[in-house]
Amino acid sequence: MRGHFSIGEMPRGTLRERLLAIGEAMVAFLSRDEMVQFERRIAAETEHEPEIGKAFLAAGPHRMKKAFSALIAALNDAGELEVDDPELAAEQFASMCKGMGDLERRFGQPIDEKRNRERIEGAVEVFCRAYATAGDC
């Protein structure tokens, strides 16, 4: 999983541009057929072996949240964001970017690239309005 989620080098530019790049990378990763199938299998196995679910969460989603929370905290420290709870802000951003598309994919619906883009742009707009301190967002 780690090898497929990447935004490469941290993008430069405005806070909005950086958040868009992060949202796009996250949704692209979660939309991969292999990832959707893998999540389905993990969920099914977790019914019988709860430790598998815990291991999956620790290795993937919780690692991603920790890394993104650290980035948000750094942006807060740099004065670009004003965030009291970086972990909650990371969850909010990820949830808004995924929207219902994440659930729809798990239940076999085709990916709607246009709607994904609208979700990501909307997530960035809401996030900026809630947390940005500078005018570049």
Side-chain angles (χ1 to χ4, degrees):
M1 286 190 321
R2 287 185 209 137
H4 290 285
F5 180 72
S6 173
I7 58 171
E9 199 174 302
M10 184 60 183
R12 301 200 190 289
T14 67
L15 177 59
R16 179 178 298 275
E17 291 166 339
R18 289 176 279 158
L19 290 171
L20 282 169
I22 292 166
E24 289 165 357
M26 181 176 47
V27 170
F29 172 73
L30 294 172
S31 298
R32 295 177 62 246
D33 286 339
E34 298 88 353
M35 189 64 204
V36 173
Q37 292 168 2
F38 183 66
E39 284 184 356
R40 287 179 187 150
R41 288 186 183 116
I42 293 295
E45 291 300 320
T46 299
E47 290 280 325
H48 306 289
E49 188 63 48
E51 292 302 312
I52 291 174
K54 289 179 186 175
F56 168 75
L57 288 171
H62 289 170
R63 281 178 59 100
M64 185 179 80
K65 182 175 84 169
K66 183 178 179 182
F68 190 41
S69 298
L71 174 62
I72 290 172
L75 292 170
N76 183 73
D77 293 345
E80 291 187 74
L81 297 176
E82 187 174 322
V83 177
D84 292 331
D85 186 341
E87 282 192 18
L88 178 60
E91 287 182 26
Q92 291 168 332
F93 184 76
S95 294
M96 287 189 294
C97 286
K98 294 186 312 183
M100 291 295 291
D102 193 46
L103 181 64
E104 291 166 351
R105 283 186 295 280
R106 279 189 256 142
F107 287 93
Q109 298 300 303
I111 294 170
D112 183 341
E113 295 293 345
K114 180 179 182 284
R115 192 62 172 165
N116 279 349
R117 182 70 187 175
E118 293 168 347
R119 286 181 184 114
I120 294 164
E121 289 173 355
V124 170
E125 180 65 25
V126 170
F127 197 84
C128 284
R129 287 183 185 205
Y131 297 119
T133 59
D136 70 349
C137 202

